[in-house]
Amino acid sequence: MASTACFMIVSKNDIPIYEAEVGTVPKKEDAAHQHQFILHAALDIVQDTAWTTSAMFLKSIDRFNDLVVSVYVTAGHTRLMLLHDSRNDDGIKSFFQEVHELYIKTLLNPLYLPGSRVTSSHFDTKVRALARKYL
Amino acid sequence: MEGEVSESCVESLLAEIVLVVGHQFSERYTMDRPRFTDNLEAIKFICKDFWSELFKKQIDNLKTNHRGTFVLQDNRFRWLAHMSIDPSVQASGNIQDPSAMAENKSTQATGMHLYFPCGIIRRALSNLGIACAVSADISNLPACSFVIRIKA
């Protein structure tokens, strides 16, 4: 059961600090660019929606063809954005919560400057494992 | 010779640490709770959860003028509770005799210890989306009050 999914973490100052293609579909170069474009375009909508609710998980806020953008916003306005074609809301919510915990662990690293790119391969491996598990 | 550290030096040294620590605290302690809808909610979070995580107690008194200024009063500020300070110190004494000057220096030194908590509060609030300035008032230790002025 192949699924496309592109995951991105955008910091408070609108700087992407982590990007990954976590779907099970084999990678196609132009599709990857398109996914990024769709996620970046959804940022404005996230801004508006984030202030209307106090929940962290804003379900699906935007669509493009058959791909859906779901977003999870932390209190510090770090946005975890996922572009996917599946409809598994609970799985996506759990995925976001686990990645949130991972992100906080990264933040607690004193050598990590908040707002800079996350370059740890360990973080990358874990995110991909979580994606396989929940998506 | 006493190793004098000037105030501006202290501020710049602490600025980097405060940036990271404030950010970490705000993300960590807001993890399990829903996000904040307005300024008052965020300040109340600072008074209760944030303060109890850092200082093991909640704020004793919160005052506001409803126009962007909040005064948080802590009657026994833990980080300064064991600092010895001459009880007869007047905050605005004249500097003519050397004994008064020594007392002003100790007040100044105590004041420098407050840069860190003020900075953390400011960074945590700015991470939650509220730009503000935080200052501390230690006219009667161990009670300490923090004044938060939200920039409109």
Side-chain angles (χ1 to χ4, degrees), chain A residues 12 50 53-56 58 73-78 100-101 103-104 107-109 113-114, chain B residues 16 19-20 23-24 26-37 126-130:
Chain A
K12 189 169 188 289
T53 167
S54 70
M56 289 206 171
L58 318 171
V73 187
T74 69
H77 286 277
T78 308
H100 187 186
E101 284 204 34
Y103 172 66
I104 291 191
L107 258 190
L108 292 178
N109 180 0
L113 183 66
Chain B
E16 284 278 338
L19 169 73
V20 174
H23 194 117
Q24 288 173 346
S26 66
E27 285 277 355
R28 203 162 115 197
Y29 299 141
T30 54
M31 202 181 114
D32 297 314
R33 42 164 306 138
R35 292 186 297 114
F36 305 110
T37 43
S126 85
N127 199 39
L128 298 173
I130 304 171

Side-chain angles (χ1 to χ4, degrees), chain B residues 9-11 14 17 34 36 47 57 60-61 86 91-92 100 110 114 119 129 143:
Chain B
C9 212
V10 168
E11 277 200 77
L14 285 182
I17 304 178
F36 305 110
C47 292
K57 64 190 283 286
D60 297 305
N61 200 352
D86 195 343
S92 56
T110 322
L114 283 168

Side-chain angles (χ1 to χ4, degrees), chain A residues 8-82:
Chain A
M8 184 180 300
I9 304 183
V10 184
S11 78
K12 189 169 188 289
N13 305 325
D14 295 328
I15 301 173
I17 58 180
Y18 178 75
E19 285 154 330
E21 288 273 344
V22 296
T24 46
V25 161
K27 256 162 103 155
K28 296 186 295 264
E29 264 318 306
D30 49 354
H33 291 266
Q34 209 185 36
H35 292 167
Q36 261 199 11
F37 183 70
I38 301 170
L39 279 176
H40 291 161
L43 278 174
D44 282 336
I45 308 182
V46 178
Q47 286 278 47
D48 293 332
T49 327
W51 289 107
T52 61
T53 167
S54 70
M56 289 206 171
F57 180 49
L58 318 171
K59 299 198 180 89
S60 64
I61 52 162
D62 192 22
R63 301 175 44 95
F64 177 80
N65 296 349
D66 56 345
L67 297 170
V68 176
V69 180
S70 300
V71 171
Y72 178 96
V73 187
T74 69
H77 286 277
T78 308
R79 285 147 282 185
L80 314 184
M81 308 181 64
L82 182 69

Side-chain angles (χ1 to χ4, degrees), chain B residues 40 43 47 51 59-66 68-74 133-137 144-150:
Chain B
L40 185 59
I43 300 274
C47 292
W51 220 260
I59 281 278
D60 297 305
N61 200 352
L62 170 67
K63 293 190 273 256
T64 174
N65 71 350
H66 292 290
T69 305
F70 296 86
V71 181
L72 277 61
Q73 171 128 351
D74 188 342
V134 182
S135 59
D137 170 36
C144 187
S145 55
F146 292 87
V147 181
I148 303 182
R149 276 178 211 87
I150 299 189

Side-chain angles (χ1 to χ4, degrees), chain A residues 97-131:
Chain A
Q97 277 168 344
E98 300 260 345
V99 178
H100 187 186
E101 284 204 34
L102 266 184
Y103 172 66
I104 291 191
K105 284 182 192 156
T106 314
L107 258 190
L108 292 178
N109 180 0
L111 301 175
Y112 170 71
L113 183 66
S116 62
R117 292 198 70 95
V118 179
T119 49
S120 155
S121 58
H122 193 61
F123 183 81
D124 191 46
T125 324
K126 282 216 150 148
V127 168
R128 288 181 198 279
L130 282 174

